[in-house]
Amino acid sequence: MDLEALFNKNKEKTIQGRYITLDDIEPLLNSETLKKDVKIIGESVLGKPIYSYQKGSGKLKIYLWSQMHGNESTTTKALFDFINLLNNGSDLANQLLDSFTFYCIPILNPDGAKLYTRANANNIDLNRDSQDLTQPESKILRAVFEEFKPDYCFNLHDQRTIFGVADTGKPATLSFLAPSYNEEREINDSRLKAINLIAGINEVLQKYIPGQIGRFDDSFNINCIGDTFQYLGVPTLLFEAGHYPNDYEREKTRKFVFMSLVTSFIILNENDVVDNRNDKYLNIPQNNVVFFDFMYKNVKINYDGNEIITNFVAQYKEELIDYKLNFNAYIVEIGDLKGKFGHFEYDAKGALFQDGIKNLPLEGKVADFNLNKKVFFVNGKIKN
């Protein structure tokens, strides 16, 4: 199957970029194609509707939710791409709808989505509220779980650009996890189902993004929703959409999330998760915090009258200003930086750092500077 062509055919073109809110998806949910399968299942802290989309008549029940963290929107885009597939009338769509019942919550945290924050309007991380259930959004997610009684859960998230695949120097464009169900991180039948499915997804995705898939840390935390659902005996998969080179809007990454979802359901439909693939799962390299957005090497600075050669790095801060998302680059670290990488790397070859102020790359400063007054950088990038 040509997964790339399938994505291009079903991509939802009305939503793109990183700032995805309820305002962006409501026209889709209210469209003639989708509205008959859409319900309002509750409200957020600020009274915004939380929508569900349910489709299919199959025996195997699949529960998917996105934007539990409001600023993690890549999987929301991919979810609508997948919903388009379910509605395109193709043989594949009909096969999936006959085999599965899909229950989707496209944006669980509409308040956080509007504010572009991880937390909800009460400043609570919903992914740490699975036991106390103090928030209306957490209660809705749990109530659906108990009523729908899923066979598999898909917990859809984004991860920061800091994550790489082990020490390979490749970004973790996608990372997966079969969450633990106990402190000992043991493997029972439920967790093994998630492990086997992730191993199958990885095998397919390696053809498209070789070496760019990581395995998320499996430390047990019962307050996290994935760990809770795994503990309750339902195979749960964590998706973490990460960085693809030069793709800060995560339009490329959304494609790989879509491919992963389609691959998951093809594997399940073919009942191709019966073998123990734990070894293949463990062979997926672990995520590692090794990346910065910008790395500048071999830069000359004048420090207390002494000229030294050093390196420094800058990181984007995603800042919402007048409901427009801005990527602003700030210097975050200076030094040897051994074992670290930059998504953009520049070798200054001993050129002198100047910024017209203190002429030093100071932590917390915007990454506007020049080298030898010949190469100028604005917001981290070379000015053309």
Side-chain angles (χ1 to χ4, degrees):
M1 179 179 292
D2 188 340
L3 290 172
E4 196 141 21
L6 196 66
F7 168 77
N8 291 332
K9 183 179 178 181
N10 293 284
K11 181 180 180 181
E12 178 49 60
K13 296 180 175 61
T14 65
I15 51 175
Q16 57 187 346
R18 295 287 294 280
Y19 185 49
I20 305 295
T21 70
L22 201 57
D23 294 338
D24 297 307
I25 70 164
E26 279 187 318
L28 295 171
L29 296 170
N30 292 323
S31 68
E32 288 300 320
T33 303
L34 302 190
K35 67 180 183 181
K36 64 182 180 296
D37 300 310
V38 171
K39 289 182 180 177
I40 294 175
I41 54 174
E43 291 185 347
S44 68
V45 171
L46 299 181
K48 295 298 181 183
I50 295 173
Y51 291 92
S52 71
Y53 177 81
Q54 185 171 335
K55 186 84 168 175
S57 57
K59 182 179 177 182
L60 210 60
K61 295 180 177 181
I62 307 295
Y63 187 20
L64 311 98
W65 62 93
S66 185
Q67 268 179 283
M68 167 178 266
H69 295 141
N71 58 355
E72 298 179 3
S73 59
T74 305
T75 53
T76 302
K77 296 184 291 185
L79 196 52
F80 277 100
D81 302 334
F82 178 69
I83 288 171
N84 283 348
L85 166 60
L86 293 180
N87 285 279
N88 70 12
S90 65
D91 289 343
L92 175 60
N94 292 330
Q95 190 178 29
L96 293 176
L97 293 172
D98 287 342
S99 299
F100 300 98
T101 300
F102 297 100
Y103 193 109
C104 311
I105 302 178
I107 296 183
L108 179 65
N109 181 6
D111 300 340
K114 186 70 172 180
L115 297 170
Y116 200 73
T117 57
R118 178 182 173 92
N120 74 347
N122 285 332
N123 200 29
I124 298 296
D125 185 338
L126 299 178
N127 204 25
R128 300 295 183 272
D129 191 41
S130 71
Q131 292 299 301
D132 295 337
L133 298 175
T134 64
Q135 303 303 301
E137 300 92 345
S138 307
K139 292 174 183 176
I140 290 166
L141 186 67
R142 183 61 174 270
V144 170
F145 175 85
E146 292 175 352
E147 182 180 345
F148 183 59
K149 295 181 172 54
D151 296 293
Y152 282 85
C153 291
F154 285 72
N155 186 12
L156 306 175
H157 289 262
D158 276 55
Q159 64 182 5
R160 295 174 60 198
T161 60
I162 59 176
F163 289 104
V165 177
D167 57 357
T168 64
K170 289 190 174 185
T173 300
L174 277 180
S175 295
F176 297 96
L177 174 67
S180 299
Y181 75 94
N182 63 7
E183 291 282 356
E184 294 73 28
R185 310 185 198 186
E186 293 174 322
I187 298 172
N188 59 2
D189 289 343
S190 172
R191 190 180 183 204
L192 184 60
K193 286 181 180 179
I195 284 170
N196 289 345
L197 189 49
I198 289 170
I201 297 168
N202 178 60
E203 192 172 318
V204 172
L205 266 288
Q206 288 295 339
K207 300 170 187 173
Y208 296 91
I209 42 173
Q212 289 175 230
I213 297 173
R215 180 165 48 89
F216 214 72
D217 174 58
D218 68 348
S219 298
F220 179 68
N221 183 348
I222 194 64
N223 297 305
C224 296
I225 195 66
D227 301 52
T228 290
F229 287 171
Q230 197 86 274
Y231 169 79
L232 292 172
V234 178
T236 300
L237 288 79
L238 172 69
F239 279 43
E240 293 280 354
H243 185 70
Y244 184 88
N246 302 312
D247 181 38
Y248 281 93
E249 298 295 336
R250 297 203 171 164
E251 290 299 304
K252 292 274 195 337
T253 300
R254 94 188 261 183
K255 173 175 69 175
F256 302 123
V257 175
F258 170 87
M259 290 177 173
S260 300
L261 290 172
V262 174
T263 298
S264 301
F265 306 130
I266 290 174
I267 290 171
L268 286 174
N269 196 39
E270 293 173 350
N271 198 26
D272 192 21
V273 289
V274 293
D275 296 333
N276 187 326
R277 299 180 180 176
N278 189 44
D279 287 347
K280 291 183 178 179
Y281 173 75
L282 293 176
N283 282 337
I284 301 172
Q286 282 202 289
N287 269 11
N288 200 1
V289 179
V290 291
F291 267 99
F292 297 93
D293 291 316
F294 301 93
M295 177 174 281
Y296 310 96
K297 300 178 178 178
N298 302 310
V299 180
K300 184 189 291 183
I301 62 171
N302 194 321
Y303 188 74
D304 284 344
N306 298 314
E307 287 189 342
I308 60 173
I309 302 295
T310 191
N311 311 300
F312 69 96
V313 286
Q315 191 74 20
Y316 276 135
K317 194 179 208 179
E318 297 163 20
E319 299 178 316
L320 192 67
I321 301 171
D322 294 330
Y323 296 105
K324 181 174 173 22
L325 187 61
N326 296 267
F327 290 82
N328 296 322
Y330 295 89
I331 296 168
V332 292
E333 196 171 332
I334 302 113
D336 180 73
L337 300 168
K338 187 177 180 180
K340 303 294 185 181
F341 305 94
H343 294 301
F344 167 86
E345 294 189 358
Y346 186 86
D347 189 346
K349 299 178 180 177
L352 182 65
F353 176 97
Q354 293 176 293
D355 64 3
I357 306 173
K358 292 191 175 181
N359 295 325
L360 289 172
L362 301 175
E363 291 182 21
K365 182 186 175 300
V366 175
D368 295 342
F369 60 94
N370 72 78
L371 297 170
N372 280 353
K373 294 186 177 179
K374 292 182 179 178
V375 183
F376 291 80
F377 294 82
V378 176
N379 200 32
K381 296 180 179 178
I382 295 175
K383 184 179 179 182
N384 293 325

